[in-house]
Amino acid sequence: MIQRCTTAHIAPRTAWLGALALVAALGLAAPAAWAADTSPSPSAAPDKLAAARDLIQQDKWVAAIEELKRVDDRSSADWNNLMGYSHRKAKVPDYAAAERYYNEALRIDPKHKGALEYSGELYLMLNQLPQAEARLAVLDKVCMLPCAEYTDLKSAIARYKANGNSYVAKP
């Protein structure tokens, strides 16, 4: 049995083909090409902060500071953030140095999530709740969805308030 093509059969097919052409034109039909662009380039430079990060993971704060001084990448927001973090976490913390490094990281990159979170925690340690809440407000705008840095600082502020406005380290 031969079926006749009527306008009623052609119109939906034409609309469907038009939509398919639009999807292809916008590049939405090729997710594999997009995914290939998300992987790091094989020629990417090695992480010059890797050794410092390893020392930080081991809670070797003085050694991490020495390694960061050796690398001396003061124009890097990540470098400044790690210096601030190491000074804040050291056995004998240097909060003034930590604040200087965090502020420099944020001068270089005002949206640096790590520096925003860690400086917020520093402000809680210094009993400066309004500054910590200001950092949380910036993180709220920087994070598209709740990110770990936002969640961690929000929890730190909640612990601070629940403990009578006194800093409580993360459990």
Side-chain angles (χ1 to χ4, degrees), residues 6-171:
T6 63
T7 307
H9 289 96
I10 294 173
R13 289 182 187 155
T14 304
W16 183 83
L17 289 173
L20 183 60
L22 178 63
V23 166
L26 292 174
L28 299 174
W34 176 79
D37 290 343
T38 60
S39 62
S41 168
S43 64
D47 179 12
K48 57 186 166 184
L49 301 175
R53 292 181 208 279
D54 288 342
L55 291 165
I56 288 169
Q57 283 291 97
Q58 300 170 45
D59 297 339
K60 295 181 178 179
W61 310 114
V62 174
I65 291 168
E66 291 305 314
E67 174 61 19
L68 288 163
K69 285 179 182 176
R70 188 192 65 73
V71 171
D72 194 26
D73 191 7
R74 295 171 194 272
S75 63
S76 164
D78 287 338
W79 183 90
N80 280 284
N81 181 52
L82 293 175
M83 278 294 267
Y85 186 78
S86 297
H87 279 284
R88 179 171 65 93
K89 299 294 264 183
K91 186 174 183 177
V92 178
D94 184 344
Y95 295 142
E99 184 176 26
R100 279 194 313 274
Y101 286 113
Y102 289 141
N103 286 339
E104 181 61 13
L106 292 169
R107 186 195 65 75
I108 295 165
D109 179 3
K111 297 179 179 180
H112 194 284
K113 294 176 191 173
L116 288 164
E117 175 194 351
Y118 297 146
S119 63
E121 289 182 14
L122 172 65
Y123 288 133
L124 293 175
M125 297 169 104
L126 298 174
N127 292 315
Q128 298 175 3
L129 179 60
Q131 290 89 335
E133 290 177 326
R135 296 294 198 215
L136 183 65
V138 174
L139 275 170
D140 189 31
K141 292 176 184 168
V142 169
C143 297
M144 297 293 257
L145 300 171
C147 59
E149 295 84 358
Y150 174 85
T151 303
D152 289 349
L153 182 54
K154 187 174 182 174
S155 295
I157 290 172
R159 287 191 310 274
Y160 177 88
K161 289 178 177 179
N163 195 43
N165 286 348
S166 183
Y167 180 73
V168 179
K170 189 176 185 178

